[in-house]
């Protein structure tokens, strides 16, 4: 009997050992994200661009010239602002089948971020890090972003490592991390903003000038990363275009940009992050009721939460900041009290006023009935979006045929900007009009941009052969079959010869 009890106790300690919990968290994320990735499709066309750059780096080294987007600023000012991400991706997509490799890399990076968040929370002596890690993993808007073939997960890994280094005053490592962030992600400036928030909160508490030291250290790392860079000095101009013109100014009111740049509706945000919202509201109540007990770290996390909320209400792509920032705020607030104190406080809150009882009753009903219903619906939508989308072989037959039978290094006028990644991935022997973001073409030549839009939407009906030859120097016209107005206009001119057709697309050759 005693041996059985000892064995049971050892088994109990093993199961509930903190290291086991972290391991189980990582495995949970890997299994969940693998389930989402079980398809031959990508929800976002940029996946094909990242795949291609991963291939090119493996074959030829760093991609310095980018002639494939002929009428964009990328032709003369291209930099790979996700260079470190592509270095990470490259062995996966070259040593494995590209489709398998890119999905494995995406799953591991996404799982590593959730794992790292919980690990940092524990290192900072914050409570409920593993719990919030699980909640983040099942918060569908974030899960969707993490499971895209993008540098999002790597960026968040570096950003939260930066938070840890700022708080722990590990300044040499902070400098090196800031340097790497420039190479890893175009939005690296967010680390400086985070450093400023944490430094100002600490300065307000201590009044010591040394509290501000991380700010120049991060700046120094950025400057080093920008200068010690294969793209210097043209990367300065590119950052202006990418970070300021596209990221901050944004031309969504003038041209059709990607859907990720449009804002989240407030109700959509709350329902999409339903369980996190319940904890966030609870954390806000505790934060303001016990505001005098808040530390510099919890104040910084609150400002970080507010920043994430502001960003996501501006552009939905910033959900990747809002959810982790909110989770970090929650673990900071919950760490002020022990679990016993929080329960006592909730009991007192319940007994304080009738309105509190009503509030608590609504919260319980929301958690028990509304949250599961929303979570199930969102899970099914996320599964559909991540497994659906764009086939790995999208436009492959057409582009492989053109690569084999067409003239190399000639320009192909194509029917939409978001076709570009698939065209490039399957055929890099030809050049194209616009890609990655329409703003790059709009900033290159506004008149030419609208001229191309009129052609592809069918508004331009006259003089098409002359315009396409003289203004765009294009020899081929690629169009997806849903561009029927454009197709009808092509057929009105004998100079356009249909040389290829399948279920997805047509290719015309301009002969004049």
């Amino acid at each position: 009997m005693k041996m059985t009890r000892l064995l049971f106790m050892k088994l109990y300690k093993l199961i509930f050992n903190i290291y086991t919990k972290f391991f189980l968290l990582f495995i949970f994320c890997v299994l969940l994200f693998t389930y989402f990735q079980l398809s031959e499709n990508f929800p976002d066309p940029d996946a094909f661009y990242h795949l291609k750059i991963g291939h090119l780096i493996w074959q030829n080294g760093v991609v310095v010239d980018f002639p494939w987007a002929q009428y964009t600023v990328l032709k003369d000012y291209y930099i790979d602002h996700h260079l470190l991400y592509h270095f990470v991706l490259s062995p996966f997509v070259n040593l494995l089948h590209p489709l398998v490799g890119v999905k494995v890399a995406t799953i591991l990076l996404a799982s590593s971020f959730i794992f790292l968040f919980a690990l940092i929370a524990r290192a900072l002596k914050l409570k409920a890090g593993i719990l919030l890690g699980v909640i983040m993993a099942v918060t569908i808007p974030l899960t969707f972003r993490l499971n895209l073939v993008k540098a999002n997960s790597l960026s968040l890994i570096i950003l939260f490592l930066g938070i840890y280094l700022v708080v722990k005053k590990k300044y040499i490592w902070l400098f090196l991390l800031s340097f790497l962030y420039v190479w890893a992600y175009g939005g690296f400036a967010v680390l400086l903003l985070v450093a400023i928030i944490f430094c100002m909160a600490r300065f307000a508490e201590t009044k010591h000038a040394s509290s501000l030291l991380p700010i120049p250290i991060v700046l120094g790392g950025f400057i080093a990363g920008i200068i010690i860079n294969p793209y210097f000095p043209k990367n300065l101009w590119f950052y202006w275009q990418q970070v300021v013109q596209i990221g901050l100014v944004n031309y969504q009111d003038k041209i059709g940009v990607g859907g990720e740049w449009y804002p989240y509706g407030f109700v959509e945000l709350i329902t999409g992050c339903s369980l996190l919202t319940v904890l966030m509201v609870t954390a806000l109540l505790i934060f303001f009721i016990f505001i005098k007990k808040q530390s510099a770290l919890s104040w910084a996390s609150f400002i970080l939460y507010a920043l994430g909320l502001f960003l996501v209400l501006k552009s939905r792509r910033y959900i990747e900041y809002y959810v982790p920032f909110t989770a970090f705020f929650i673990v900071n607030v919950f760490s002020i009290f022990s679990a016993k104190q929080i329960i006592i406080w909730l009991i007192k809150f319940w007994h304080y006023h009738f309105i509190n009882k009503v509030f608590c009753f609504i919260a319980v009903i929301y958690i028990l009935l509304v949250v599961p219903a929303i979570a199930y619906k969102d899970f099914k939508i996320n599964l559909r979006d991540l497994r659906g989308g764009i086939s790995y072989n999208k436009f492959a037959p057409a582009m492989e045929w053109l690569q084999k039978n067409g003239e190399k290094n000639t320009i192909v006028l194509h029917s939409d900007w978001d076709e570009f990644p698939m065209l490039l991935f399957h055929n890099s022997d030809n050049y194209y009009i616009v890609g990655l973001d329409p703003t790059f073409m709009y900033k290159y030549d506004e008149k030419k941009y609208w001229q191309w839009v009129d052609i592809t939407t069918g508004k331009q009906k006259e003089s098409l052969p002359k315009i396409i030859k003289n203004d765009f120097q294009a020899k081929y016209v690629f169009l997806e079959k849903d561009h029927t107005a454009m197709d009808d206009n092509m057929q009105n001119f004998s100079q356009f010869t249909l040389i290829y057709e399948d279920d997805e697309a047509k290719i015309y050759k301009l002969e004049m």
Side-chain angles (χ1 to χ4, degrees), residues 311-349:
L311 289 173
V312 80
L313 293 177
K314 183 181 185 298
S315 296
R316 65 193 304 116
R317 66 164 297 168
Y318 295 124
I319 193 72
E320 66 206 51
Y321 294 127
Y322 170 75
V323 172
F325 287 174
T326 302
F328 193 66
F329 169 63
I330 292 168
V331 295
N332 270 279
V333 172
F334 283 5
S335 299
I336 298 173
F337 306 100
S338 66
K340 181 179 179 181
Q341 287 174 315
I342 291 175
I343 292 171
I344 292 172
W345 178 82
L346 288 174
I347 292 171
K348 288 181 178 178
F349 181 80

Side-chain angles (χ1 to χ4, degrees), residues 162-171 174 178 190-219 295-301 303-304 328:
I163 292 174
Y164 171 78
L165 295 175
V166 169
V167 174
K168 288 294 188 177
K169 303 178 183 179
K170 308 283 187 179
Y171 296 144
L174 181 62
S178 302
V190 70
L191 178 57
L192 177 61
L193 190 57
V194 167
I196 291 172
I197 290 170
F198 278 82
C199 288
M200 295 306 294
R202 184 182 287 164
F203 179 75
E205 183 180 65
T206 65
K207 303 297 187 296
H208 291 157
S210 61
S211 301
L212 305 177
L213 189 56
I215 297 173
I217 288 174
V218 171
L219 270 174
S295 65
L297 185 59
S298 56
W299 267 106
S301 68
I303 298 170
L304 208 58
F328 193 66

